[in-house]
Amino acid sequence: MSDLKRGLSEAAFAAFEALGLPGELGRVTASDRPDLADFQVNGALPAAKRAGRPPREIAGQVAERLAPDPRLAAVEIAGPGFINLRVSDAALSARAQAIAADPRAGAERLARPRRVIVDYAGPNVAKEMHVGHLRSSIIGEALKRLYRFRGDEVWGDAHFGDWGFQMGLLIGALADEDPAIARAVEELNAGRAPNDIDSLEAPAFQAVTLEQVDRLYPEAAARAKSDEAYRDRARRITAELQAKRPGYYLLWRHLARVTRAALERDFHALGVDFDLWKGESDVDPLIPAMVGELEEKGLLVEDQGARIVRVAREDDKRELPPLIVVSSEGSAMYGTTDLATILDRARSVRPDLVIYCVDQRQADHFEIVFRAAELAGYARPGQLVHVGFGTMNGTDGKPFKTRAGGVLKLVDLIGMTRDRARERLHEAGLGEDLPEAEFDDIAGKVAVAAVKFADLANFRGTSYVFDIDRFTAFEGKTGPYLLYQAVRVKSLLRKAAEEQAEAGPVMVADPAERDLVLSLDAFETALAEAYERYAPNAIAEHAWRLAQAFSKFYAACPILQAEPAVRASRLTLAQATLSQLELALSLLGIVVPERM
RNA sequence: GCGCCCGUAGCUCAACUGGAUAGAGCACCUGCCUUCUAAGCUGGUGGUUGCAGGUUCGAGUCCUGCCGGGCGCGCCA
């Protein structure tokens, strides 16, 4: 059963067509004026222009055809030609009943599923994740879950940055700092490259820690900006690493392992998971053949010592730089591995759509890579999509930094939020008689809900201010509010079960019940919008509205004390709300505890 | 310099792709716990949507020009 909005749209579509007007004009939307109507149709206004007739006249004719519909209690014309629809209580009751009985809580399935890859543009394997990495993980995860839920076949790929200049830079810095490492690298490099390099171990590298990496990388990156010789050496090392010189390669492998473990820990804490734990290095073997192919196709040209693909077009408004495939040092670049990854995926997964969930600032980069991929025949137009998001700034409007001037690590953010959650749980007297382990689990879920919802409630495209107080806020439009509402329903349903109160047929009567059912009905619309615009904030917004509608219903309508038939109806509404709310939150990557 | 994005309540953000009276949260006033979890609910204050034009029945949304901010522009990712 489709939602009320779509059902009514179909009726309005038919009404417009019967009048010889385009059916699309019959699009039904939620009313802007809830005091006047539940839904509205605005199509009479644009229709008037085409038909050369007054809008109210057309609206009147459409309304006449809609009026007999048993789902509608009232059809009225308002203002210049709006058609206001008020749904009957019986139709709302039936819809609530259907949602309650539906394991998908009223959400539909795609008619034509696609094969989709969500590329999280994973963090660099050179430094720990900080809050700046938050968005791609959270948004990417939400998109992955949404797409999968609607019926697409989806692969989430971490796509770690583990094969570029930053690795050469870090290797150089480590050798500079620790003579033992420098020696080990030299000795290994001096020996002949063994055929089975993967089985080699280099004990000297075992002592390298994440803390060391974390400390050295920013220094090295800064120095490379001003010191040309230093930069050139790092680029040389990068090229040699990619050529698998044993010393560099084995040190790289150790770094990859160490940082990978930290990344897994961070992603796990956030409830983010990947189907493919791939990195740039994984497509390295494809590069030589790819370069040859680009050459054969006449796309590759020599320029300033590098080998590039020109992607600029005549009608470009700006001068788009070329894709640098092979640097003048002979190494693969960011764009090289991206292109090779597109080729790899085209051969393995054969996706209909690849969503790159990456910072908006990289828009030009992706435009260049996508054009190159199309020129090479690795992708069709529209198959690759860059879903950009804004940057996260501090309260001062500049890129976020801690008070000490450093970046805030993701683990620390989660930890801080969890501590705040513990405090607030105590203050509110929630979960006091629960075992320690469950209490901790709840605090963790509250923290993740707070962090994720604070991010996902914003439209991805705009930058927003990272405010630690906002991420640890538990009142108002926050993740914890939503958990609280869901848990309240669970508690209610538990109590009902104890009293052996059963759910039964829905009979909508109270205004709060009407509003709740209309909120439930809007689920599919929210999912469709989030899907089409790659915008999880539509789901977050829906979850918030639903929770709020329930809270009002909860305050206005006693449930367990009501007479049996009313009680049964309200229990069904509560169940439907819980299943849809929990589902919506799960799509955002937020887990609801049993109690709190 | 060229290009992209943004400017909405004191603060942080929405606004179903051009529709009615621009909505939430926080903050600030107001009332509600002998009824199912008060992290809640109720009512209220708060706006010339940066400025000036234009397009049309109708503009926060589209166009033009200013003002202000962010970002990107070849071997970092």
Side-chain angles (χ1 to χ4, degrees):
Chain A
M1 175 182 170
S2 69
D3 56 14
L4 288 167
K5 205 185 84 166
R6 199 170 101 191
L8 294 171
S9 282
E10 281 161 11
F13 187 103
F16 272 93
E17 290 221 308
L19 295 170
L21 294 163
E24 306 87 74
L25 295 172
R27 198 166 73 104
V28 171
T29 57
S31 179
D32 289 331
R33 296 288 303 274
D35 53 320
L36 300 180
D38 300 326
F39 296 98
Q40 61 185 347
V41 184
N42 297 341
L45 295 158
K49 194 176 286 178
R50 291 185 220 189
R53 286 154 53 198
R56 280 190 73 101
E57 184 187 312
I58 294 172
Q61 289 173 343
V62 172
E64 221 168 277
R65 289 176 179 271
L66 289 176
D69 194 308
R71 291 169 294 188
L72 295 172
V75 182
E76 286 160 1
I77 315 297
F82 299 109
I83 303 166
N84 282 334
L85 309 178
R86 192 169 166 80
V87 180
S88 71
D89 289 350
L92 285 174
S93 301
R95 179 60 184 150
Q97 199 76 49
I99 292 171
D102 182 0
R104 296 175 63 82
E108 289 172 46
R109 222 175 248 287
L110 293 169
R112 260 168 294 159
R114 296 181 289 180
R115 298 167 69 82
V116 180
I117 291 176
V118 175
D119 187 319
Y120 288 71
N124 288 341
V125 176
K127 44 188 170 175
E128 262 194 282
M129 290 230 291
H130 55 81
V131 294
H133 293 114
L134 199 61
R135 301 208 78 188
S136 68
S137 331
I138 292 180
I139 296 169
E141 183 71 17
L143 290 175
K144 184 184 82 181
R145 292 177 184 221
L146 170 66
Y147 273 61
R148 187 170 288 160
F149 174 70
R150 296 198 91 211
D152 285 330
E153 197 171 351
V154 186
W155 292 261
D157 186 355
H159 198 72
F160 296 111
D162 64 355
W163 205 231
F165 176 72
Q166 82 275 18
M167 300 310 304
L169 198 55
L170 189 57
I171 288 169
L174 278 164
D176 287 347
E177 182 176 74
D178 187 342
I181 289 177
R183 236 183 350 264
V185 167
E186 261 176 50
E187 278 168 22
L188 284 160
N189 278 349
R192 285 208 0 250
N195 292 331
D196 53 347
I197 191 167
D198 290 325
S199 67
L200 267 184
E201 287 298 335
F205 301 150
Q206 298 302 316
V208 176
T209 64
L210 189 64
E211 288 68 35
Q212 205 174 353
V213 170
D214 235 16
R215 177 169 47 80
L216 286 177
Y217 182 75
E219 291 169 16
R223 184 167 167 198
K225 273 186 185 158
S226 54
D227 186 338
E228 202 170 320
Y230 188 77
R231 184 172 61 228
D232 285 348
R233 188 191 60 155
R235 291 182 52 208
R236 233 170 12 249
I237 295 174
T238 304
E240 295 199 35
L241 162 68
Q242 293 177 357
K244 292 205 177 181
R245 284 289 293 274
Y248 296 132
Y249 183 77
L250 292 178
L251 179 52
W252 168 83
R253 200 178 59 189
H254 176 72
L255 291 172
R257 282 181 191 155
V258 169
T259 51
R260 167 77 172 268
L263 292 173
E264 288 191 29
R265 176 201 64 199
D266 286 356
F267 284 122
H268 181 75
L270 269 181
V272 173
D273 202 6
F274 309 111
D275 306 290
L276 304 169
W277 287 81
K278 290 206 173 191
E280 295 170 339
S281 61
D282 287 301
V283 294
D284 185 67
L286 276 89
I287 291 176
M290 180 181 84
V291 171
E293 195 177 316
L294 293 174
E295 190 135 48
E296 265 173 44
K297 291 182 176 169
L299 295 169
L300 209 60
V301 295
E302 194 94 16
D303 194 79
Q304 297 170 37
R307 308 174 78 191
I308 63 170
V309 173
R310 296 194 197 280
V311 299
R313 292 172 189 158
E314 287 279 322
D315 55 345
D316 280 341
K317 282 185 189 167
R318 63 199 189 288
E319 227 175 292
L320 213 54
L323 181 76
I324 298 178
V325 180
V326 185
S327 81
S328 49
E329 290 292 340
S331 62
M333 308 288 294
Y334 177 34
T336 317
T337 49
D338 274 348
L339 189 60
T341 301
I342 292 169
L343 176 61
D344 183 34
R345 287 169 177 165
R347 288 174 180 168
S348 55
V349 175
R350 308 176 65 84
D352 299 303
L353 177 70
V354 182
I355 295 170
Y356 289 82
C357 194
V358 191
D359 193 320
Q360 189 64 49
R361 287 178 294 189
Q362 297 190 38
D364 281 357
H365 166 75
F366 283 109
E367 179 68 27
I368 293 165
V369 173
F370 294 172
R371 285 189 187 189
E374 285 169 30
L375 286 170
Y378 301 159
R380 302 180 300 276
Q383 190 184 1
L384 310 172
V385 178
H386 172 216
V387 171
F389 48 81
T391 53
M392 195 149 60
N393 301 325
T395 37
D396 57 357
K398 293 172 189 162
F400 183 78
K401 292 277 189 326
T402 58
R403 288 213 183 86
V407 290
L408 179 63
K409 288 181 201 163
L410 205 46
V411 261
D412 296 337
L413 171 66
I414 301 286
M416 283 162 74
T417 310
R418 196 187 291 118
D419 291 344
R420 281 283 296 136
R422 280 204 195 90
E423 277 173 41
R424 287 292 287 120
L425 284 164
H426 283 307
E427 279 171 31
L430 291 170
E432 274 178 339
D433 43 357
L434 298 177
E436 186 68 22
E438 187 177 353
F439 187 83
D440 271 356
D441 178 61
I442 291 167
K445 283 175 172 145
V446 169
V448 170
V451 167
K452 287 194 174 177
F453 194 83
D455 188 287
L456 291 170
N458 298 326
F459 178 68
R460 61 172 169 78
T462 48
S463 296
Y464 73 97
V465 172
F466 175 86
D467 180 354
I468 190 71
D469 292 334
R470 195 160 129 247
F471 277 67
T472 54
F474 303 128
E475 289 88 26
K477 196 172 182 177
T478 64
Y481 169 94
L482 296 170
L483 294 190
Y484 178 75
Q485 295 302 344
V487 165
R488 256 194 337 183
V489 187
K490 288 192 181 185
S491 170
L492 172 75
L493 295 176
R494 265 198 303 273
K495 206 151 272 185
E498 279 167 26
E499 295 176 16
Q500 296 180 352
E502 305 238 332
V506 176
M507 307 174 299
V508 169
D510 193 276
E513 292 175 320
R514 285 188 63 92
D515 287 346
L516 178 58
V517 177
L518 286 168
S519 294
L520 285 165
D521 185 58
F523 190 37
E524 171 63 18
T525 301
L527 294 186
E529 190 196 340
Y531 183 92
E532 281 152 23
R533 297 175 63 197
Y534 314 104
N537 67 308
I539 304 174
E541 186 67 26
H542 174 76
W544 158 252
R545 285 192 189 156
L546 177 63
Q548 222 182 17
F550 180 82
S551 196
K552 288 176 185 187
F553 159 74
Y554 185 84
C557 302
I559 298 166
L560 296 177
Q561 292 86 344
E563 53 146 319
V566 174
R567 184 181 67 190
S569 164
R570 290 178 178 169
L571 281 173
T572 301
L573 288 177
Q575 281 173 355
T577 301
L578 176 62
S579 70
Q580 193 184 85
L581 184 55
E582 212 164 6
L583 179 52
L585 289 173
S586 79
L587 296 179
L588 300 178
I590 295 172
V591 180
V592 181
E594 280 313 297
R595 24 181 201 180
M596 62 189 265

